[in-house]
Amino acid sequence: MLENQPVVLETRDLSKSFKGFTAVHNVNLQVRRNTIHALIGPNGAGKTTLFNLLTKFLIPSSGSTFFKGENITSSKPPDIARKGLVRSFQISAVFSGLTVLENVRIALQRKHKMDYQFWHSETILHTLNNEAYELLEHVDLARYAENKAAELPYGRKRALEIATTLALDPEVLLLDEPMAGMAQSDISRTAELIQKAAKNRTVLMVEHNLSVVAKISDVITVLRAGQVLDEGSYEHVSSNPLVLEAYMGKKHA
Amino acid sequence: MLPRAYFLAFLVLLALLPHILYPVFLMQLLCMALFACAFNLLLGYTGLLSFGHAAFLGGSAFIAGQAAKVWGLPIELSILAGTLTGTLLGAGFGLIAIRKQGIYFAMITLALAQMVFFYALKAPFTGGEDGLQSIPRSDLFGIIDLTHEVTMYYFILVLFLAGFLIIFRIIHSPFGQVLKSIRENEDRAISLGYRVDRYKLAAFIISAALSGLAGSMKAMVSQVVSLSDVHWSMSGAVVLMTLIGGTGTLFGPIVGAAIIVSMEHYLGEYLGSWVTIIMGVIFVICVLTFRQGIVGELEQRLIKRKLPLQSQDSTS
């Protein structure tokens, strides 16, 4: 049934070289609507580079990217976000000096076109509070609303990041290692959050934690040395000897 | 937030000061304080370090002086002409520099400001090494005589407060929130769909415009504009004032400006160039011991005492 979903995000022969080193090589990736799609692969496989290419933080050397059939290869990062393709970062990206509530409101401000108003007092932003609290409730952060984001423990920061991203109500969520550096208790909570967020949305995530990937993703693409090694369900890719070899080295395969 | 009581006390103090201290000194202080506040809008609230702000202060001062002395414009229009100059220079600098980040941004603004300096050095109307001297002070709106220094002080105070309130409004506005988010994490702001260059450019132009207002006021107060107003050391001085007082605090730049201007004024005649060394020492102490500046440090201590940390849960 997942195969019947339309393709939302697609790359065609996407490549990126850095001074002769090819980090991503002719990658053809198709992400289907309403799926959780995981990108895995050993260190240096080009996952984060591919991610940065998709969100235009890097410019591809060749190839193209399509979002819902529209060629977005030469779009700029903020414009990608405006189209509904919002990313997170490997290192948690919150606005540390702002409160938890303000963090979520920043995203809402853009959506509600309350970004250039310099003549209004910021109390006008209180009209966004209900929506913001709802989002914080969703990730179990409402009681921290008045705390500075910097004061949150790491796992909570990632939850805040997800709430901020969801505030834009994006069609596609791009999560760059959402579980990196997390304690076990946070991992299961974040996995649940991602599943919750993925309702009626598409999620593409880079993730190292294979047990999480196995549990929540519908499709897994395995990258090795910048190329797609295999793609399919967890059962499928985990039984591929080449995938095992890429992860464990030859002798274990 | 600006607690009303503090602001009122601040107003009363400013209104009474010219009866205690020398008004010309106070006016110069207000000009530099507004300059530092305008600079702080950029450094403290947007996270942009400009090293070319002297061009906006001095460039506007020369045009305001020229307008009053040669074109014969009344004082209010001269100040307006100066402020417009600051705005236009800001737009020019900003369009060229805003896409660059960190040290590159600082260096480009410095280079552009040096071009303004050399233009001021060579252009005939600025008077070169002599500067622009004996700038007349016309009656305000043709009726209020400004030759009396205390009257002039209140005029300058009104302009200062107007500039200060504009900055206050911007900082605590939806736009100000966006600026702060860019300061905190520019990439994240971009990934949320903000075209950050536009907000940074807007903040840069506003900062340049208000620096231009400060420069024009300074020209009318001193009735002299010299090359030191466009010199790079003026760009350095404003960084110093803002850092000592506290970047990203509302009153920090005012406190910083008060310290630096007072030292130059009161110690200058006894200690001569030793003042520069003392300022250097103060700066080093400041950076080493209270990095948030005087006001930043005070605020933090007060907040810590008032608000015990909210309950944290024990996960992770």
Side-chain angles (χ1 to χ4, degrees):
Chain A
M1 93 244 153
L2 290 172
E3 288 72 28
N4 299 331
Q5 291 284 350
V7 173
V8 204
L9 187 62
E10 184 179 6
T11 69
R12 290 186 199 156
D13 296 327
L14 201 66
S15 298
K16 177 71 186 178
S17 320
F18 299 100
K19 293 183 181 158
F21 165 71
T22 308
V24 169
H25 186 62
N26 286 345
V27 168
N28 290 291
L29 185 72
Q30 292 192 326
V31 180
R32 291 181 185 277
R33 184 183 301 270
N34 292 346
T35 57
I36 298 184
H37 193 133
L39 271 177
I40 64 168
N43 280 329
K47 303 175 303 274
T48 294
T49 308
L50 179 58
F51 226 69
N52 284 330
L53 290 173
L54 287 171
T55 47
K56 309 301 155 203
F57 277 75
L58 283 175
I59 296 162
S61 310
S62 65
S64 42
T65 316
F66 293 85
F67 178 53
K68 294 194 287 181
E70 182 191 354
N71 189 334
I72 55 163
T73 314
S74 52
S75 300
K76 295 214 159 62
D79 302 321
I80 299 285
R82 283 159 182 257
K83 288 185 208 292
L85 200 66
V86 179
R87 71 167 292 175
S88 73
F89 293 85
Q90 208 170 94
I91 303 158
S92 96
V94 293
F95 303 116
S96 322
L98 305 183
T99 66
V100 168
L101 180 67
E102 286 171 327
N103 264 270
V104 177
R105 276 200 324 219
I106 289 289
L108 293 173
Q109 271 179 256
R110 224 260 298 131
K111 201 170 80 180
H112 292 282
K113 301 207 174 358
M114 292 170 81
D115 49 349
Y116 278 110
Q117 298 167 333
F118 61 84
W119 56 92
H120 276 304
S121 160
E122 63 194 345
T123 49
I124 196 174
L125 295 175
H126 293 174
T127 54
L128 304 177
N129 282 4
N130 282 342
E131 200 177 343
Y133 269 104
E134 228 170 79
L135 287 155
L136 289 176
E137 228 34 279
H138 193 72
V139 298
D140 194 23
L141 281 179
R143 67 197 138 125
Y144 298 104
E146 299 299 325
N147 283 80
K148 286 260 161 72
E151 297 167 8
L152 293 180
Y154 189 75
R156 299 281 182 184
K157 279 187 188 154
R158 305 250 42 170
L160 174 58
E161 217 186 306
I162 291 174
T164 309
T165 305
L166 291 180
L168 295 176
D169 198 13
E171 262 188 87
V172 180
L173 278 173
L174 299 161
L175 307 174
D176 192 359
E177 297 196 24
M179 319 287 177
M182 266 189 197
Q184 197 56 46
S185 59
D186 285 329
I187 287 181
S188 48
R189 193 169 54 204
T190 309
E192 270 169 43
L193 265 180
I194 292 172
Q195 280 185 304
K196 228 157 89 176
K199 277 191 189 123
N200 306 316
R201 279 200 189 84
T202 311
V203 174
L204 174 64
M205 63 173 186
V206 168
E207 187 48 57
H208 273 302
N209 189 320
L210 289 183
S211 63
V212 171
V213 168
K215 206 170 105 192
I216 69 174
S217 41
D218 305 305
V219 187
I220 297 168
T221 299
V222 188
L223 284 180
R224 189 187 59 180
Q227 285 175 295
V228 175
L229 186 63
D230 198 5
E231 186 174 278
S233 66
Y234 184 75
E235 290 69 34
H236 171 78
V237 297
S238 62
S239 59
N240 183 337
L242 284 173
V243 174
L244 291 176
E245 188 191 312
Y247 265 91
M248 312 290 187
K250 218 166 197 141
K251 58 186 172 192
H252 298 279
Chain B
M1 283 294 112
L2 183 71
R4 291 239 149 95
Y6 283 125
F7 188 63
L8 273 178
F10 177 60
L11 267 187
V12 170
L13 178 74
L14 285 175
L16 290 178
L17 270 179
H19 303 286
I20 308 162
L21 294 167
Y22 182 45
V24 174
F25 157 71
L26 288 173
M27 286 190 274
Q28 267 159 355
L29 200 165
L30 286 180
C31 295
M32 293 316 282
L34 179 59
F35 183 37
C37 286
F39 179 79
N40 185 40
L41 177 65
L42 217 51
L43 180 64
Y45 291 95
T46 319
L48 286 173
L49 173 60
S50 154
F51 211 78
H53 259 50
F56 309 136
L57 183 89
S60 326
F62 274 118
I63 298 299
Q66 176 79 356
K69 188 180 171 183
V70 181
W71 306 339
L73 292 182
I75 188 164
E76 61 277 8
L77 290 182
S78 305
I79 290 177
L80 188 65
T83 309
L84 276 176
T85 309
T87 315
L88 291 177
L89 280 173
F93 278 39
L95 283 170
I96 296 169
I98 212 75
R99 282 169 195 281
K100 301 292 167 203
Q101 286 171 340
I103 192 74
Y104 300 101
F105 177 78
M107 287 301 114
I108 291 176
T109 49
L110 172 62
L112 290 169
Q114 285 303 90
M115 288 165 64
V116 173
F117 174 79
F118 283 107
Y119 177 74
L121 180 68
K122 296 293 176 198
F125 82 94
T126 60
E129 303 277 359
D130 298 330
L132 202 58
Q133 300 202 355
S134 52
I135 297 163
R137 249 188 228 167
S138 75
D139 292 351
L140 181 60
F141 306 122
I143 40 174
I144 304 167
D145 179 13
L146 291 177
T147 48
H148 192 260
E149 297 295 1
V150 175
T151 321
M152 182 67 180
Y153 172 84
Y154 286 112
F155 172 53
I156 291 294
L157 178 60
V158 167
L159 289 178
F160 166 80
L161 287 174
F164 182 74
L165 287 176
I166 288 172
I167 292 172
F168 174 75
R169 170 44 71 237
I170 290 171
I171 290 169
H172 294 290
S173 73
F175 175 69
Q177 281 294 112
V178 175
L179 291 184
K180 283 177 225 168
S181 77
I182 294 173
R183 172 194 71 188
E184 295 290 324
N185 194 331
E186 188 168 341
D187 275 348
R188 180 57 172 162
I190 293 173
S191 82
L192 292 177
Y194 283 108
R195 294 166 178 140
V196 294
D197 288 345
R198 298 186 190 183
Y199 303 87
K200 290 199 284 189
L201 181 62
F204 191 81
I205 295 174
I206 294 169
S207 172
L210 290 167
S211 302
L213 172 63
S216 313
M217 282 155 54
K218 192 170 183 288
M220 297 301 131
V221 168
S222 331
Q223 300 181 280
V224 173
V225 184
S226 72
L227 281 176
S228 69
D229 293 332
V230 272
H231 194 249
W232 64 266
S233 59
M234 183 60 89
S235 301
V238 77
V239 179
L240 188 67
M241 289 178 208
T242 312
L243 284 181
I244 286 183
T247 48
T249 63
L250 200 55
F251 289 101
I254 301 175
V255 172
I259 292 173
I260 300 293
V261 176
S262 314
M263 279 181 38
E264 277 172 351
H265 185 82
Y266 289 106
L267 299 179
E269 46 188 308
Y270 307 111
L271 298 172
S273 43
W274 280 95
V275 171
T276 320
I277 293 174
I278 295 173
M279 277 195 241
V281 171
I282 291 183
F283 184 65
V284 170
I285 292 172
C286 191
V287 170
L288 289 180
T289 58
F290 39 98
R291 299 185 67 174
Q292 317 199 45
I294 294 167
V295 174
E297 200 73 18
L298 281 175
E299 267 181 7
Q300 207 185 30
R301 283 189 190 172
L302 286 175
I303 289 169
K304 262 193 190 152
R305 208 168 296 161
K306 258 194 244 164
L307 290 172
L309 276 177
Q310 292 186 23
S311 65
Q312 301 273 331
D313 66 359
S314 52
T315 48
S316 109

